[in-house]
Amino acid sequence: MNNKAICTVLLIIIGCCLVIPEHAYSEQAFRTTKECPLVFSELEPTQSDLARIERLRKVKAKSNKEASVNNQPIRVYGVKLYVELPSVSDGPVLYVGDMRIGEYVSFADGIYFNIYNDEDLERCYNKPIRFVYRGTEYALGVSFPSEEGILPFRQDSGQMKTLPNLEEFLDEQVKGE
């Protein structure tokens, strides 16, 4: 292949990238992929979870929002969302109700995120889950469970049960599959 042919092929590829803007890809997804798209569980905290909880508690203590913040039980709640996201260079922002989820991670069938305190968990009850990408909102038609829907997965303070670790939680299949 000569240089002229190589340049022509490269110009065609570049032209296609300019003709089909990235925002067009954003409309190709944002949909759930399972009948039961949300799975919730209390998780065994990892070392990084414990460090994050400690940082969050220090921030709250500095702002004097809660005097007894260190007396609260250490809890980590895992949320799996079976969803298809578009292939874009900058990530969509995830919201549960009006609460922005600052960090979520992908796994084979969707994304997961953690909630690190009961206050934030309560803010999620019955709230719609949505993504915002470049100023456009994409509702999934899925809401976070109510408190009653969460109770079977929470550990009572007087009752000790074995909690799944993150790996077990992510490997767990949706019921009915």
Side-chain angles (χ1 to χ4, degrees), residues 1-159:
M1 211 175 199
N2 63 26
N3 286 343
K4 187 175 182 179
I6 292 172
C7 288
T8 303
V9 169
L10 287 174
L11 286 174
I12 290 171
I13 292 171
I14 292 169
C16 288
C17 292
L18 294 175
V19 172
I20 305 172
E22 189 176 75
H23 67 79
Y25 297 114
S26 67
E27 296 173 10
Q28 295 177 2
F30 291 106
R31 61 180 163 263
T32 57
T33 59
K34 304 272 185 192
E35 189 174 318
C36 178
L38 187 135
V39 178
F40 174 89
S41 181
E42 187 172 353
L43 301 176
E44 183 69 36
T46 64
Q47 286 301 104
S48 62
D49 290 332
L50 295 173
R52 175 172 279 196
I53 290 168
E54 184 62 30
R55 283 193 309 273
L56 292 171
R57 287 181 175 188
K58 284 180 182 179
V59 169
K60 277 190 177 184
K62 282 183 182 177
S63 65
N64 291 324
K65 285 186 177 179
E66 276 186 55
S68 63
V69 73
N70 289 326
N71 296 333
Q72 295 176 354
I74 293 177
R75 293 206 166 135
V76 176
Y77 304 107
V79 182
K80 279 194 298 191
L81 185 60
Y82 291 93
V83 64
E84 182 181 336
L85 298 180
S87 297
V88 292
S89 60
D90 51 338
V93 179
L94 174 63
Y95 287 89
V96 178
D98 65 350
M99 186 171 79
R100 180 180 178 165
I101 305 300
E103 182 180 311
Y104 61 87
V105 180
S106 63
F107 71 102
D109 296 316
I111 63 166
Y112 75 90
F113 59 94
N114 290 338
I115 299 173
Y116 295 99
N117 61 59
D118 291 338
E119 180 183 288
D120 286 344
L121 178 65
E122 290 169 9
R123 285 179 59 196
C124 293
Y125 292 152
N126 297 313
K127 299 294 191 282
I129 299 173
R130 61 192 168 89
F131 286 93
V132 175
Y133 182 70
R134 293 189 175 178
T136 303
E137 184 174 305
Y138 298 90
L140 294 177
V142 174
S143 290
F144 201 85
S146 65
E147 182 175 13
E148 293 78 24
I150 297 286
L151 284 177
F153 302 100
R154 291 185 63 188
Q155 178 174 312
D156 296 331
S157 54
Q159 172 190 16

